[in-house]
Amino acid sequence: MNNQDKLYQHAKFAGLEFNTRRHFLKECRTGIGMMALGSLLDSCNIFSDKSDASSLSNPLAPKAPHFQGKAKSVIFLHMAGAPSQLELFDYKPELQKMDGLDCPDSFIQGKKFAFIRGVPKLLGPQAQFKQYGESGIWLSDNLPHFTKVIDDVTVLKAVHTDQFNHAPAQLLMHTGTARLGRPSMGAWATYGLGSENDNLPGFVVLTSGGKNPDAGKSVWGSGFLPSVYQGVHCRSEGDPVLFLKDPNGFDRDMRKSSIEAINKVNELSYQEYKDPEILSRISQYEMAFKMQVAVPDVMTIADEPAYIHEMYGTSQGESSFANNALLARKLVEKGVRFVQLFDWGWDSHGTGPGEALDKGFIDKSHKTDKVITALLMDLKQRGLLEDTLVVWGGEFGRTPMQENRDGKQNMFKGRDHHSDAFSMWMAGGGIKGGFSYGETDPIGYNAIDGKVSVYDIQATVLNQLGFDHEQLTYQFQGRPFRLTDVFGKVINPIIA
């Protein structure tokens, strides 16, 4: 065999070798590993069904839900710090009879509490209760105005969570996990539905009480979803959004030209890298430009008539829960999909007068009672309540026992954190009115009927928006993630 034939045979053999399984497994180990890694790091989600041309070019464009939802928007009123259900909604006359007695061992054996140590004393309700409305729902005298709208509300008396510290419990309530890094409920809603207003964000956050929630801004973050879906934190005092105004000497035409130039560069980057986050950046630049005109108009309460200001108890130019509630109505009226209100200051341990159930808690309840009642009445009179779901609650509840921090009874009357049973309520958006669901034991320690979890709350919110919570997913790290993870059931008995 001459040299030419040998070269031919060698080339033929080499070609055949490239097509063998042995060569594939031996020589392509790195390639297989990179394929697996690419699947695990699939946060960009380039090939997801959601990443069609329309959603990529305008991620906040209105989208169709899985089915026709009864709610178009959500207002979630979170009372950060966890209000006591035993002084608001869960009437326990038996607990009043047992006031001052040692807590039975069966309730505290093997249980973990944030601050209670040893054997605490039972603490009777620090409020008077009566039945109100055609529904005859029990309410405390801490909510004198809420009695007017109780027949529009479903009270959930047997909610439970698995977290008893503020930050993890807030994260679980709003992101479906007690750990950082997951998208918030509002982010999921705007990811699934988009926004009905091209000039405003789909998800707006308003805070009051002087501080942000303990879990920080993660409770309105976008997690692994594109950042365009995160909540936009607006203010009811001063500029609604920081740094929204143009600098001195920079007119609107110059701003438009600069954004167009930046976005041309971003578009070239997207063509090269195909990273959807670049499209989010483009969308956010365009949204910020539109917000410069739209936000000052919608984020002012100066144009509201006097009777509305009286109804809510607003104070123009101040940062307050009342102002935020009125802004929430205006935002859903303009087509904003999800409005999240956080009101800080509901912790009632009894370590001082501000945390005392017979002082600070009463003041806090009275300040919000009129506002929330006005919000529901205002939505109803404008025909907005039927397609706006309003949710109220904290991150957990309060113990039937008086807190005895480090084994010593606190100076003021207060309750420790309690995860086994607390109250929330929903109104509008296809939820029954004048309905009470769930029941706790005679002292309000455990749920004994109609027990629902935080995941069930989330599943029900998504259901009212038109989503099967098990199907609203996003591919990340090699598997589809959802708000409720592997838990949650829709609370069907409360749906009208």
Side-chain angles (χ1 to χ4, degrees):
M1 183 181 292
N2 58 35
N3 289 335
Q4 188 174 357
D5 290 335
K6 289 180 179 179
L7 287 171
Y8 174 76
Q9 290 294 331
H10 179 75
K12 185 178 179 182
F13 177 77
L16 292 171
E17 187 181 39
F18 281 130
N19 293 317
T20 64
R21 283 175 292 178
R22 180 176 297 174
H23 173 81
F24 179 78
L25 294 172
K26 180 181 177 182
E27 301 297 334
C28 298
R29 292 190 302 270
T30 304
I32 293 173
M34 292 304 293
M35 289 167 63
L37 181 63
S39 175
L40 290 172
L41 301 180
D42 192 24
S43 59
C44 290
N45 205 23
I46 296 171
F47 304 108
S48 164
D49 291 338
K50 284 279 183 182
S51 296
D52 55 32
S54 61
S55 63
L56 286 174
S57 60
N58 184 8
L60 289 176
K63 306 180 186 77
H66 298 148
F67 51 86
Q68 185 63 45
K70 296 183 178 180
K72 293 181 180 179
S73 55
V74 175
I75 299 175
F76 199 118
L77 309 171
H78 186 100
M79 308 295 106
S84 172
Q85 74 281 6
L86 296 167
E87 275 68 42
L88 294 176
F89 301 105
D90 204 9
Y91 178 44
K92 295 298 169 188
E94 287 300 313
L95 182 59
Q96 188 65 61
K97 296 175 186 178
M98 301 171 72
D99 183 51
L101 299 180
D102 286 348
C103 182
D105 286 341
S106 58
F107 287 110
I108 56 178
Q109 236 174 13
K111 289 285 187 178
K112 291 183 178 180
F113 298 96
F115 297 102
I116 284 177
R117 300 292 183 268
V119 181
K121 304 286 186 183
L122 292 171
L123 180 65
Q126 301 300 298
Q128 300 298 315
F129 280 78
K130 289 183 181 178
Q131 289 177 288
Y132 292 95
E134 294 181 9
S135 54
I137 292 177
W138 289 95
L139 288 175
S140 85
D141 56 2
N142 286 328
L143 303 173
H145 295 280
F146 199 66
T147 59
K148 302 172 187 174
V149 294
I150 192 61
D151 285 332
D152 295 316
V153 170
T154 281
V155 180
L156 298 158
K157 291 186 177 179
V159 187
H160 74 96
T161 179
D162 59 17
Q163 299 295 320
F164 62 81
N165 285 318
H166 294 293
Q170 290 167 2
L171 284 168
L172 181 61
M173 177 66 72
H174 295 286
T175 72
T177 179
R179 296 181 295 276
L180 297 168
R182 296 283 184 88
S184 59
M185 200 184 312
W188 280 110
T190 49
Y191 163 68
L193 285 175
S195 178
E196 292 186 332
N197 192 316
D198 291 337
N199 300 322
L200 291 170
F203 178 19
V204 173
V205 179
L206 299 163
T207 57
S208 57
K211 293 183 180 180
N212 285 337
D214 299 76
K217 298 180 180 180
S218 295
V219 287
W220 61 79
S222 58
F224 47 71
L225 291 177
S227 57
V228 70
Y229 299 116
Q230 70 184 353
V232 175
H233 188 190
C234 294
R235 308 186 305 163
S236 57
E237 180 184 21
D239 291 338
V241 180
L242 292 174
F243 313 118
L244 193 64
K245 292 181 178 178
D246 290 329
N248 292 332
F250 207 82
D251 62 27
R252 188 149 178 81
D253 289 337
M254 292 174 67
R255 171 64 73 189
K256 183 178 181 181
S257 298
S258 68
I259 288 175
E260 287 175 347
I262 291 169
N263 280 348
K264 282 181 181 178
V265 175
N266 285 330
E267 286 168 5
L268 291 173
S269 296
Y270 176 73
Q271 294 302 320
E272 182 176 357
Y273 299 107
K274 302 297 182 184
D275 182 357
E277 193 60 31
I278 297 172
L279 294 177
S280 291
R281 194 182 310 143
I282 293 172
S283 178
Q284 286 167 333
Y285 272 116
E286 292 173 347
M287 176 61 71
F289 181 70
K290 295 173 182 176
M291 284 170 62
Q292 287 184 308
V293 173
V295 166
D297 177 51
V298 74
M299 291 298 293
T300 179
I301 60 174
D303 56 351
E304 294 290 324
Y307 83 93
I308 289 292
H309 289 291
E310 173 62 27
M311 189 174 169
Y312 281 84
T314 54
S315 299
Q316 294 187 48
E318 294 183 6
S319 177
S320 68
F321 182 70
N323 288 10
N324 288 350
L326 179 51
L327 289 172
R329 187 269 291 165
K330 293 188 68 174
L331 287 165
V332 297
E333 203 170 25
K334 294 290 187 180
V336 173
R337 189 69 69 187
F338 204 101
V339 184
Q340 180 79 65
L341 270 64
F342 287 97
D343 186 52
W344 186 87
W346 286 89
D347 222 0
S348 302
H349 290 285
T351 55
E355 289 191 353
L357 290 169
D358 53 1
K359 182 165 176 54
F361 182 81
I362 294 175
D363 295 340
K364 195 72 175 170
S365 298
H366 287 174
K367 283 180 181 177
T368 57
D369 171 50
K370 179 179 179 179
V371 177
I372 293 170
T373 302
L375 175 63
L376 293 180
M377 293 175 67
D378 198 11
L379 289 170
K380 190 173 182 178
Q381 73 182 3
R382 295 168 188 270
L384 294 171
L385 188 60
E386 62 186 31
D387 54 19
T388 301
L389 176 62
V390 184
V391 184
W392 178 97
E395 57 266 30
F396 42 66
R398 293 284 162 177
T399 59
M401 305 86 79
Q402 182 170 359
E403 183 176 313
N404 62 338
R405 187 163 296 202
D406 299 324
K408 299 176 184 178
Q409 189 163 303
N410 291 350
M411 291 179 61
F412 297 88
K413 291 179 180 179
R415 303 185 188 275
D416 202 356
H417 306 168
H418 191 52
S419 60
D420 291 337
F422 63 104
S423 299
M424 296 182 67
W425 59 255
M426 295 185 183
I431 297 295
K432 288 179 180 177
F435 188 56
S436 179
Y437 183 71
E439 195 61 54
T440 56
D441 62 35
I443 67 168
Y445 191 94
N446 285 310
I448 57 175
D449 183 52
K451 186 176 182 179
V452 299
S453 71
V454 167
Y455 300 106
D456 298 336
I457 298 291
Q458 295 162 352
T460 304
V461 170
L462 292 180
N463 181 80
Q464 297 310 97
L465 288 171
F467 290 106
D468 179 344
H469 71 102
E470 295 182 353
Q471 300 300 317
L472 183 62
T473 62
Y474 190 86
Q475 195 74 16
F476 179 68
Q477 292 184 336
R479 77 169 178 93
F481 278 81
R482 69 183 208 226
L483 172 61
T484 52
D485 201 23
V486 296
F487 309 100
K489 295 181 295 183
V490 176
I491 313 169
N492 286 306
I494 73 170
I495 296 174

